[in-house]
Amino acid sequence: MRRLASYVIFIVCCGLALSQQPERKCLREKVIVFPELSTNTWVKLHPNESMTQTEFTVCLRFYPDPESSNPCLFSIATPSNPRDISLLWFVDTKQYQLVIHNSLVQFNGLPLNLNQWNTICVTWDVKNALAQMFVNEVASIKRVVGPKQAFKGEPVISLGQCQTKVHSAFHLSKTFTGFISDVHMHNQVLTINQIKTYMEAKSKYKLGDYINWHNLMYTIFGSAEINEKHQVTFKVKEEQP
Ligand SMILES: *[C@@H]1O[C@H](CO)[C@@H](O)[C@H](O)[C@H]1NC(C)=O
């Protein structure tokens, strides 16, 4: 009996050690490092609530040196669609790509700098199914993408990989290598002034009410890791409020 008990304890402890536990932290002034071309390396974000959005804004900063042809920054799978939201770009043509409800749209001529911080925000609204993208203070035109449907249900949110057919099924051609920071998702379309404030990296920009980098619940997989922004890039510190 004693032997059985210690056996059970051993199995329980091993199971706990092997399964990654989500952590909640403020990642202000921190980056996530995506150091290798591997579909095992990604970060899962855990929002407090399941999705009910009819509009959204996603903003993040990325510092790329891509090894794949179509690196993915951010993606959301829901029960109804493994490609409900994806944000990626084509390395060869420097076109950004947005997927909404499995429909695809491309944005041309926006900046994309290797080994530098790029700031990107994307907005979408169910009313007219219009998306707009903002990169380094350049605004795209507005484009129609996806059916006029709200987002619904329990999401799987990933950084550094795009979900394809089934949840968390990744493809090497969509693996991101570089740094990602300051990820925020809002339940509304931000105004151009709110986006500009975020772009300028002012500390008083609006924090996400669905995903908030300053109070983030996340799980790290593979060789991704958290580093201090000022220890890996020459970016100056955010202004103090
Ligand atoms: C999620 O819940 C935690 C704990 O109650 C709270 O501190 C945090 O602000 C919430 N996050 C968002 C984005 O609302």
Side-chain angles (χ1 to χ4, degrees), residues 24 48 208-212 215:
R24 179 178 289 284
N48 289 352
D209 52 6
Y210 192 65
I211 293 167
N212 178 0
N215 192 338

Side-chain angles (χ1 to χ4, degrees), residues 23 29 52 62 79 104 106 119 122 125 131 145-146 157 213 216 223:
E23 292 187 71
E29 300 289 345
T52 55
F62 67 106
L104 233 146
Q106 240 111 255
T119 301
V122 57
D125 191 339
V145 56
I157 306 182
W213 189 253
L216 193 72
S223 55

Side-chain angles (χ1 to χ4, degrees), residues 191-203:
T191 66
I192 196 110
N193 274 334
Q194 288 170 323
I195 288 174
K196 189 158 187 287
T197 309
Y198 175 81
M199 298 255 152
E200 291 165 348
K202 300 240 178 79
S203 59

Side-chain angles (χ1 to χ4, degrees), residues 1-231:
M1 195 63 206
R2 247 246 332 263
R3 199 133 151 227
L4 180 67
S6 57
Y7 193 57
V8 166
I9 287 167
F10 177 71
I11 287 176
V12 167
C13 290
C14 269
L16 283 179
L18 288 175
S19 71
Q20 285 96 336
Q21 295 297 307
E23 292 187 71
R24 179 178 289 284
K25 276 198 188 133
C26 175
L27 295 188
R28 184 158 191 242
E29 300 289 345
K30 294 186 170 36
V31 308
I32 301 179
V33 182
F34 296 87
E36 63 168 343
L37 192 65
S38 158
T39 52
N40 297 324
T41 293
W42 65 293
V43 173
K44 181 174 177 176
L45 305 184
H46 307 265
N48 289 352
E49 291 150 19
S50 62
M51 294 188 85
T52 55
Q53 287 87 344
T54 54
E55 56 183 278
F56 73 84
T57 304
V58 171
C59 290
L60 58 85
R61 301 186 215 282
F62 67 106
Y63 194 104
D65 180 2
E67 283 186 67
S68 71
S69 56
N70 192 198
C72 180
L73 297 164
F74 178 94
S75 93
I76 298 186
T78 64
S80 54
N81 200 326
R83 297 204 308 166
D84 238 7
I85 302 176
S86 306
L87 178 55
L88 51 174
W89 84 92
F90 289 107
V91 169
D92 284 350
T93 57
K94 285 188 158 194
Q95 286 170 309
Y96 287 90
Q97 188 180 53
L98 176 69
V99 181
I100 300 287
H101 299 315
N102 211 31
S103 298
L104 233 146
V105 74
Q106 240 111 255
F107 292 94
N108 306 309
L110 295 171
L112 204 168
N113 302 314
L114 301 189
N115 304 307
Q116 280 178 41
W117 284 111
N118 296 272
T119 301
I120 186 167
C121 290
V122 57
T123 64
W124 187 83
D125 191 339
V126 79
K127 278 201 297 289
N128 40 24
L130 289 185
Q132 191 172 12
M133 203 174 267
F134 305 82
V135 184
N136 302 347
E137 295 186 51
V138 179
S140 77
I141 67 164
K142 288 189 169 191
R143 288 188 188 278
V144 172
V145 56
K148 294 175 184 168
Q149 284 166 11
F151 299 90
K152 270 199 216 84
E154 206 57 52
V156 179
I157 306 182
S158 62
L159 295 181
Q161 304 278 349
C162 263
Q163 299 165 82
T164 50
K165 289 190 187 66
V166 289
H167 290 191
S168 317
F170 301 134
H171 202 278
L172 215 49
S173 70
K174 295 186 165 36
T175 294
F176 171 81
T177 44
F179 308 138
I180 292 180
S181 184
D182 298 340
V183 183
H184 293 276
M185 182 165 179
H186 308 263
N187 296 324
Q188 67 279 111
V189 171
L190 295 190
T191 66
I192 196 110
N193 274 334
Q194 288 170 323
I195 288 174
K196 189 158 187 287
T197 309
Y198 175 81
M199 298 255 152
E200 291 165 348
K202 300 240 178 79
S203 59
K204 275 187 252 166
Y205 64 79
K206 194 171 159 62
L207 304 175
D209 52 6
Y210 192 65
I211 293 167
N212 178 0
W213 189 253
H214 295 189
N215 192 338
L216 193 72
M217 177 105 107
Y218 62 93
T219 313
I220 286 192
F221 296 92
S223 55
E225 61 174 38
I226 309 271
N227 282 182
E228 295 288 335
K229 195 180 272 178
H230 68 90
Q231 286 175 345

